[in-house]
Amino acid sequence: MRILIVGNGGREHALLWKLRIDAPDAAFFVTRPNGGMAGLCTGVDLSPEDVDGIAAWAAGARIDLAVIGPEAPLAAGLADRMTDAGVPVFGPSAGAARIESSKAFAKDLMAGAGVPTAAYEVHSEPDAAEAFIRSMGAPVVVKASGLAAGKGAVVCDTVAGAVETARQMLGGAFGAAGTQVVVEEHMEGEELSVFCIADGEAFATMLPSQDHKRIGEGDTGPNTGGMGAYAPVGFVTEALLAEVGDRIVAPTLRALADAGHPFRGLLYAGLMITAEGPKVVEFNCRFGDPETQAVLPLLASSLLAPMLAVAEGTGLNGHTLDFRDAAVTTVLAAEGYPGSYVKGQSISIPRRKGVHVFHAGTSAVAPGSLVTSGGRVLAVTAVAAGFEAARDASRAAAEDVEFEGKQFRNDIGWRESERRHRSRRRPTR
Ligand code: AMP
Ligand code: GLY
């Protein structure tokens, strides 16, 4: 079997790691592998955005399964090109990927399907956006509709700030991504990331996880691509998962199929668990980063089998996912991140039992010699029987890794820690 992974971040390293366990005899190919992936695969020197080049390469290389990691190539039609070229692909068509690449499309689809989400309007004209913002009052959320690398959503505490943000977005601050803005109600609650493998109709839900988007401890400071994650999340019950499946995932998949865009790949529901129940913050059309680095090490059953069932069109029927233990992932970032950051620092990674080190912004300059080459450098995932042991091991492992200017959050999983602390203090009778 010949498997191609498109993308070279921490998420893709985790996918490569898991698929190598599931298919030990397969040949693996990765577009521009990072320093941790390089020794585990054959590199393909094509940009993920070169959709025609990659599809032609994959057809010529007789690839049996192509797994597309990032959203940009999906939005640009890489899965469609693969299908046209006869390459089995795990990842949605550009039409289905609009669930992420157009927030306006996603919101209208949810409204039509009765999926719970924040009240909203879509605007392309500043005065109309301002009138709606004034009618909503603060806090209010203003989002560029298109892909903005995780920077397109602004939670505004004042009406004046929201008006200014909407005017800037519509004035071109986000390029084409901001020609439409979504203005929406601010929701209160805890966030939850739910990944579903979907075959266009049926889906299998993975273990939910929680991301940490802010750079600073206690969830302070600017947004990042994600500074850490953990799974499982203590408040998630079977009943909550059933509600998410019945009220959110199933109707969304049905609406996409009815619109002529069946979703085949990984549907990521970014949820807010509000007092009125789970509501959608956003959908993504691919695995999340760094949640994938926490969730996949807990997957005891095959990832390859359901991916192939989706890619080959045989359907998910009968494929179940089996998760064990707990994981905490701490992201190590370069000095300056999420602003402009330093590159080229040499890295040393001591080995630890029960710890997986997934690479993101690393390059192998010579065998055994690694340097930093991106903002998020590594994700260290500790797996243990329980949350607390995983958390402590993840922090210790993050401490152990060395490179100049290393920054990481020492509080990944703080909500879970507090939850456990509270439940221990609750008197029993
Ligand atoms: P998004 O790019 O849509 O995922 O938004 C990024 C982050 O902004 C989310 O993870 C939330 O923390 C926050 N956010 C987005 N929309 C809302 C909302 N309607 N209410 C509260 N927080 C939100
Ligand atoms: N962890 C957030 C994302 O992947 O978009």
Side-chain angles (χ1 to χ4, degrees):
M1 168 161 272
R2 297 161 69 78
I3 301 176
L4 168 66
I5 296 176
V6 175
N8 63 1
R11 161 183 58 203
E12 288 81 15
H13 189 185
L15 287 164
L16 174 64
W17 170 84
K18 174 60 177 160
L19 291 173
R20 286 185 59 199
I21 295 173
D22 295 344
D25 299 326
F28 284 89
F29 302 87
V30 175
T31 55
R32 300 184 176 163
N34 65 38
M37 299 168 96
L40 311 174
C41 64
T42 303
V44 180
D45 190 16
L46 290 170
S47 156
E49 257 120 286
D50 178 4
V51 296
D52 292 320
I54 294 180
W57 180 89
R62 301 183 322 281
I63 290 297
D64 300 295
L65 173 67
V67 178
I68 303 170
E71 63 275 15
L74 290 165
L78 179 54
D80 309 76
R81 297 290 96 70
M82 293 283 193
T83 302
D84 293 346
V87 177
V89 59
F90 184 86
S93 65
R98 289 180 75 207
I99 196 79
E100 173 168 2
S101 65
S102 168
K103 289 184 193 287
F105 170 83
K107 293 295 284 192
D108 290 346
L109 187 101
M110 285 187 266
V115 171
T117 186
Y120 76 104
E121 278 186 11
V122 178
H123 287 284
S124 48
E125 205 273 305
D127 291 341
E130 173 165 350
F132 183 63
I133 289 166
R134 293 196 182 284
S135 77
M136 294 286 282
V140 63
V141 185
V142 181
K143 300 179 177 183
S145 178
L147 290 182
K151 298 185 178 81
V154 183
V155 176
C156 304
D157 294 325
T158 64
V159 165
V163 169
E164 176 65 19
T165 301
R167 287 191 179 276
Q168 280 174 1
M169 285 180 180
L170 291 170
F174 284 80
T179 53
Q180 284 186 309
V181 296
V182 174
V183 177
E184 65 179 39
E185 166 206 0
H186 181 259
M187 299 183 287
E188 301 279 349
E190 266 194 62
E191 289 186 63
L192 189 70
S193 301
V194 181
F195 298 169
C196 299
I197 298 178
D199 69 5
E201 255 171 75
F203 62 96
T205 305
M206 303 185 81
L207 190 66
S209 56
Q210 207 167 50
D211 189 7
H212 297 65
K213 289 189 203 263
R214 306 293 199 92
I215 188 73
E217 290 177 7
D219 294 338
T220 54
N223 264 323
T224 69
M227 292 301 291
Y230 70 94
V233 177
F235 66 76
V236 176
T237 58
E238 284 297 320
L240 176 66
L241 273 188
E243 189 179 355
V244 170
D246 293 346
R247 297 190 57 209
I248 293 176
V249 180
T252 300
L253 291 175
R254 207 173 307 123
L256 281 166
D258 289 347
H261 304 294
F263 190 101
R264 301 195 183 92
L266 195 290
L267 182 67
Y268 163 155
L271 306 178
M272 189 74 80
I273 310 303
T274 72
E276 296 112 59
K279 296 188 183 181
V280 176
V281 177
E282 62 164 351
F283 281 113
N284 293 316
C285 65
R286 36 89 193 162
F287 284 92
D289 190 328
E291 296 99 312
T292 302
Q293 295 91 305
V295 171
L296 290 187
L298 306 181
L299 179 57
S301 57
S302 174
L303 177 65
L304 178 66
M307 279 186 157
L308 273 177
V310 170
E312 291 173 345
T314 52
L316 273 176
N317 310 329
H319 282 287
T320 52
L321 303 170
D322 174 21
F323 290 90
R324 312 236 167 109
D325 298 329
V328 176
T329 300
T330 304
V331 169
L332 306 181
E335 185 174 358
Y337 180 81
S340 63
Y341 50 80
V342 178
K343 293 186 190 179
Q345 304 292 350
S346 61
I347 309 171
S348 118
I349 308 173
R351 281 184 177 278
R352 272 179 179 255
K353 205 167 168 288
V355 172
H356 307 281
V357 178
F358 297 115
H359 291 230
T362 73
S363 295
V365 279
S369 171
L370 281 171
V371 299
T372 64
S373 60
R376 289 190 294 172
V377 177
L378 299 164
V380 289
T381 298
V383 175
F387 166 78
E388 270 113 348
R391 174 197 63 197
D392 295 347
S394 183
R395 289 177 189 173
E399 201 65 64
D400 262 7
V401 171
E402 287 175 29
F403 61 85
E404 188 72 31
K406 170 186 80 174
Q407 45 164 342
F408 67 95
R409 279 181 59 170
N410 209 22
D411 70 341
I412 301 305
W414 67 269
R415 289 173 186 277
E416 188 72 14
S417 296
E418 286 195 352
R419 200 161 18 245
R420 283 163 178 263
H421 190 64
R422 277 198 306 273
S423 72
R424 268 197 299 276
R425 283 191 352 203
R426 199 171 293 147
T428 47
R429 27 180 138 178

